């Protein structure tokens, strides 16, 4: 049994709902999870995990939230090579460009991304929650 780290930033709770559902999916496999809002997480946390999920909604103009998530992601780019990584987040009026950019950035670190990134429009509905649970299970099995 392994433990998986899930770190997220969420302004209005949409990405947080995704994070909770991803944790539910992990738990269904029998693995454990540690769920942290990014303000409680540090680069040191990342070092000891082989499987990590990172979540952030699309902010600014198709970028990561800049005060907390962006510096956190920057601080771990040298630490995730070879680790299994799931990216996720909620978006609004865009087309997911922030996630495509984030995927490319993390792919360039040598991390093993398990998907192109799970995106949900605004508040996840039942289908969105199911996708998050499946992604959590896929991360645990990766
Ligand atoms: C300041 C701000 C900037 C945003 N920028 C974008 C954007 O560039 N593209 C987009 O698709 N949605 C954008 N949104 C919409 C959010 O991504 C969307 O409402 C999302 O569901 C918020 O998720 P959260 O509650 O996890 O933060 C923005 C919202 C805010 C408040």
């Amino acid at each position: 049994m392994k433990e998986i780290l899930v770190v997220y930033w969420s302004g209005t709770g949409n990405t947080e709902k995704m994070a909770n559902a991803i944790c539910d999916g992990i738990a269904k496999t029998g693995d454990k999870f540690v769920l942290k809002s990014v303000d409680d997480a540090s680069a040191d946390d990342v070092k000891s995990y082989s499987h990590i999920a990172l979540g952030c909604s699309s902010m600014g103009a198709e970028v990561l939230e800049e005060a907390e998530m962006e510096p956190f992601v920057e601080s771990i780019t040298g630490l995730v090579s070879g680790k299994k990584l799931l990216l996720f987040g909620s978006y609004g009026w865009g087309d997911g460009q922030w996630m495509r950019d984030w995927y490319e950035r993390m792919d360039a670190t040598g991390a093993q991304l398990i998907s192109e990134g799970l995106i949900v429009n605004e508040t996840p509905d039942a289908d969105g929650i199911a996708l998050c649970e499946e992604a959590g299970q896929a991360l645990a099995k990766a």
Side-chain angles (χ1 to χ4, degrees):
M1 191 201 326
K2 63 183 167 305
E3 195 169 77
I4 297 177
L5 177 66
V6 181
V7 177
Y8 70 93
W9 183 92
S10 182
T12 60
N14 294 336
T15 303
E16 183 178 17
K17 288 189 175 74
M18 295 178 73
N20 286 328
I22 286 166
C23 290
D24 289 344
I26 293 168
K28 278 186 186 168
T29 70
D31 280 343
K32 294 193 164 189
F33 62 84
V34 171
L35 174 63
K36 290 192 173 195
S37 170
V38 69
D39 53 326
D40 286 332
S42 72
D44 266 352
D45 291 329
V46 164
K47 290 181 185 165
S48 53
Y49 291 90
S50 61
H51 292 61
I52 301 165
L54 298 176
C56 184
S57 45
S58 180
M59 285 286 125
E62 299 293 337
V63 293
L64 298 174
E65 185 275 331
E66 290 173 283
E68 292 176 335
M69 196 67 190
E70 172 56 39
F72 176 75
V73 168
E74 189 57 31
S75 74
I76 66 165
T77 50
L79 304 174
V80 291
S81 180
K83 295 180 189 282
K84 309 278 195 226
L85 200 57
L86 166 66
L87 303 181
F88 65 96
S90 175
Y91 68 101
W93 52 85
D95 69 351
Q97 187 61 45
W98 107 104
M99 184 56 78
R100 291 192 289 277
D101 292 343
W102 194 12
Y103 175 91
E104 280 184 22
R105 178 178 176 184
M106 300 319 290
D107 194 40
T109 67
Q112 295 178 16
L113 288 114
I114 68 153
S115 75
E116 292 182 346
L118 176 59
I119 66 174
V120 165
N121 188 236
E122 298 293 354
T123 304
D125 59 13
D127 288 347
I129 292 294
L131 287 173
C132 293
E133 289 186 8
E134 284 166 22
Q137 288 176 294
L139 177 62
K141 290 174 185 164

